[in-house]
């Protein structure tokens, strides 16, 4: 007989225990993260709210396994990141995590379609399947007529939509978004965030979305606040 009380508890997509991070600056130590604890369930969309300089990007970089130098424990989809080699961390990041940044960071010499195809090829998806997935995602974001445009030929909102499609291309269990609409006017920001949340829900991904905007944060499943290096 299985024990349903234990078996039904899903493994968190993110589990942070006592996460710390400090920087040395001009002989001073700045403690940015002072013991962050957080669990994000599969499919849960969490807003990470905090003013500029509160450490949102630092926290997302830790969760995205982009940088070392952290204290405490980071588990992504049940894997303890501190016990992984650099190569295994890169593989876990590629397979499990999609990123959206405030500035799109698209490859300037590649078309919108190619920017969404490339991360799929890196994971071994066939070219036809990658093309089909990219077209489907960009179509869902209203960009069917923009597939061959380069980033410089797109508006800010369109660039962020391509970045959203790229983040979701490999159906990651986790999407990390760092002020994904922070560079857009209010109307466009609302539209792009709504489309982003819809696609994340459709994919069944969990997401941690940094913002300093209470109104945008309220559209998500849960809000956590970063203040003086801890979450409340
Ligand atoms: P947010 O994303 O909430 O605006 P950040 O995570 O970018 O905040 O930064 C939090 C604090 O950490 C800031 O005071 C910033 O100056 C400092 N910081 C971030 N990265 C570095 C770094 N590489 N070196 C020194 N200080 C840093
Ligand atoms: Mg930031």
């Amino acid at each position: 007989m299985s024990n349903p009380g234990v078996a039904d508890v899903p493994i968190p997509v993110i589990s942070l225990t006592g996460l710390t991070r400090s920087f040395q600056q001009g002989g001073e130590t700045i403690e940015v993260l002072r013991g962050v604890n957080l669990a994000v369930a599969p499919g849960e969309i969490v807003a990470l709210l905090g003013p500029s300089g509160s450490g949102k990007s630092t926290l997302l970089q830790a969760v995205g396994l982009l940088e070392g130098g952290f204290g405490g424990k980071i588990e992504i989809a049940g894997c303890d990141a501190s016990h992984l080699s650099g190569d295994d961390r890169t593989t876990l990041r590629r397979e499990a995590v999609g990123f959206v940044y405030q500035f799109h960071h698209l490859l300037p010499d590649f078309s919108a379609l190619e920017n969404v195809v490339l991360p799929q090829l890196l994971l071994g998806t066939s070219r036809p399947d990658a093309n089909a997935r990219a077209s489907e995602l960009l179509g869902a974001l209203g960009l069917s007529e923009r597939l061959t445009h380069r980033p410089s030929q797109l508006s800010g909102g369109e660039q962020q939509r391509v970045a959203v499609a790229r983040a979701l291309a490999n159906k990651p269990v986790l999407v990390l978004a760092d002020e994904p609409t922070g560079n857009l006017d209010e109307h466009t920001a609302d539209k792009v965030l709504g489309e982003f949340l819809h696609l994340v829900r459709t994919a069944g991904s969990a997401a941690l979305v940094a913002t300093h905007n209470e109104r945008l944060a309220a559209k998500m499943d849960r809000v956590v606040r970063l203040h003086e290096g801890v979450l409340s």
Side-chain angles (χ1 to χ4, degrees), residues 128-153:
D129 286 352
N131 276 345
R133 171 87 179 138
S135 302
E136 175 199 331
L137 280 167
L138 291 166
L141 289 157
L143 294 177
S144 298
E145 308 296 317
R146 299 285 185 278
L147 300 183
T148 59
H149 285 54
R150 295 198 179 177
S152 63
Q153 300 168 320

Side-chain angles (χ1 to χ4, degrees), residues 137-206:
L137 280 167
L138 291 166
L141 289 157
L143 294 177
S144 298
E145 308 296 317
R146 299 285 185 278
L147 300 183
T148 59
H149 285 54
R150 295 198 179 177
S152 63
Q153 300 168 320
L154 297 170
S155 71
E158 289 168 344
Q159 290 167 349
Q160 281 309 83
R161 287 181 173 96
V162 178
V164 164
R166 178 184 56 182
L168 287 161
N170 288 323
K171 299 184 182 162
V173 293
L174 173 62
V175 178
L176 298 174
D178 195 352
E179 313 223 25
T181 60
N183 200 30
L184 305 176
D185 65 77
E186 189 174 321
H187 175 71
T188 308
D190 274 11
K191 280 189 72 175
V192 173
L193 189 77
E195 292 166 8
F196 167 72
L197 294 176
H198 175 72
L199 279 181
V200 170
R201 287 190 208 286
T202 305
S205 304

